[in-house]
Amino acid sequence: RDAQESRGLGDVYKRQYVCCAVILFVVSDSILAIDKFKMSIPYANIIIGVTYWSSITLLSLSITPIFYARNRT
């Protein structure tokens, strides 16, 4: 039971990571599109880089518990 309960809590964190990653990715692409096609945004490259790589990091963190769980059994 403890494994099932902790797995349920991990699912909540995974969902939060994925949701935040998706939001950051949409922000990144939106800023990229606005900067490229509409108007120049100051520090766009920095903002795009930070939001994009933060998104990738959160997506990576969302799948790491899967690998740990598989290696435990």
Side-chain angles (χ1 to χ4, degrees), residues 51-71:
T51 54
Y52 177 79
W53 287 108
S54 297
S55 172
I56 296 299
T57 302
L58 288 173
L59 282 174
S60 299
L61 289 173
S62 73
I63 64 167
T64 52
I66 294 169
F67 295 117
Y68 289 128
R70 286 184 184 166
N71 290 335

Side-chain angles (χ1 to χ4, degrees), residues 16-29 47-62:
Q16 289 176 349
Y17 286 158
V18 171
C19 288
C20 289
V22 168
I23 291 168
L24 285 171
F25 188 76
V26 169
V27 168
S28 173
D29 274 4
I47 296 168
I48 292 166
V50 167
T51 54
Y52 177 79
W53 287 108
S54 297
S55 172
I56 296 299
T57 302
L58 288 173
L59 282 174
S60 299
L61 289 173
S62 73

Side-chain angles (χ1 to χ4, degrees), residues 31 35 40-50:
I31 293 171
D35 186 55
S40 180
I41 298 176
Y43 305 108
N45 289 338
I46 295 171
I47 296 168
I48 292 166
V50 167

